Amino acid sequence: MKIFLDTANLDEIRKAAETGIIDGVTTNPSLVAKEGRDFRDLIKEICDIVQRPVSAEVISTETEGMIREAMELSGISEHIVVKIPMTREGIRAIKELSGKGVKTNCTLIFNPLQALAAAKAGATYVSPFVGRLDDIGHDGMLLVKTIVEIFRNYNFSTQIIVASARHPLHVLQAALSGAHIVTVPYKIFDQFFNHPLTDIGLERFLKDWEKLHV
Ligand code: E4P
């Protein structure tokens, strides 16, 4: 199970990377806009810190523009994965980019057939958005499970990134579903380490240890 960090914030990325358990980073235009930095400089810095796959999204909505941006972005670092939205134009771009060996992450996936189309086009990753589906009363994790089943049935090598995670339970469900990756905001990553019984247990161990030395 790979864990990606879903942020463009360098402090968060550095802190998470220090733990040694981060396998990549995903960004999107909204996350990048929050940082108020030059896009390319920021993405380069993220790649230098993480040294693993970093998703950077195109802004064009037409195939030719997406391909042009993708080629520019993939020149920034060997770690770049070009994020392409799930549209008819996006699928055409993914097909062409996969032929050129450019890694792609097909984003904004909300139904299983969108994932199937992206896999057939040769996407390296697909990103089903579980939280945004849950937000409107749908079952986001059911989408993930269905994609896992389809990809297994036909041995697609496309990896599934569970995206738009809202809480630790999404991470647990992602791990149980057989998805390859979950991408999490820093707040959720931080919650991985905490349990009140761990704190209580550690305090008790240390107190008992002190008794040995009195
Ligand atoms: C990741 O690839 C997505 O951009 C991200 O998880 C979206 O999350 P949100 O629905 O919380 O904006």
Side-chain angles (χ1 to χ4, degrees), residues 8 67 89-90 92-93 97 104 108 110-112 128-129 139 145 153 175:
I67 292 170
E89 295 281 307
R92 283 182 53 212
L97 289 165
T104 54
L108 292 167
F110 293 97
N111 85 44
F129 277 36
D139 185 348
K145 287 184 199 147
N153 283 348

Side-chain angles (χ1 to χ4, degrees), residues 6 26-28 31 83 105 107 127 129 132 163-166 183:
D6 194 29
T26 51
T27 69
N28 64 37
L31 293 171
K83 229 174 173 187
N105 172 357
T107 189
S127 291
F129 277 36
R132 293 193 194 185
S164 184
R166 296 270 187 270
T183 188

Side-chain angles (χ1 to χ4, degrees), residues 51-79:
Q51 301 282 322
R52 281 156 197 267
V54 173
S55 288
E57 190 159 340
V58 299
I59 300 305
S60 304
T61 53
E62 282 144 25
T63 305
E64 289 66 29
M66 289 176 182
I67 292 170
R68 198 170 42 248
E69 280 184 59
M71 297 315 290
E72 280 169 25
L73 286 170
S74 53
I76 293 175
S77 161
E78 60 182 306
H79 301 294

Side-chain angles (χ1 to χ4, degrees), residues 16 27 29 31 36 76 82 99 114 123 135 138 150 156 163 173 192 205:
T27 69
L31 293 171
I76 293 175
V82 183
Q114 292 179 318
D135 289 346
H138 288 245
I150 293 171
F156 282 115
Q173 290 166 334
F192 282 23
F205 283 154

Side-chain angles (χ1 to χ4, degrees), residues 137-158:
H138 288 245
D139 185 348
M141 212 42 76
L142 179 61
L143 168 64
V144 172
K145 287 184 199 147
T146 310
I147 299 171
V148 168
E149 192 174 336
I150 293 171
F151 285 11
R152 279 192 187 150
N153 283 348
Y154 299 100
N155 287 323
F156 282 115
S157 58
T158 303

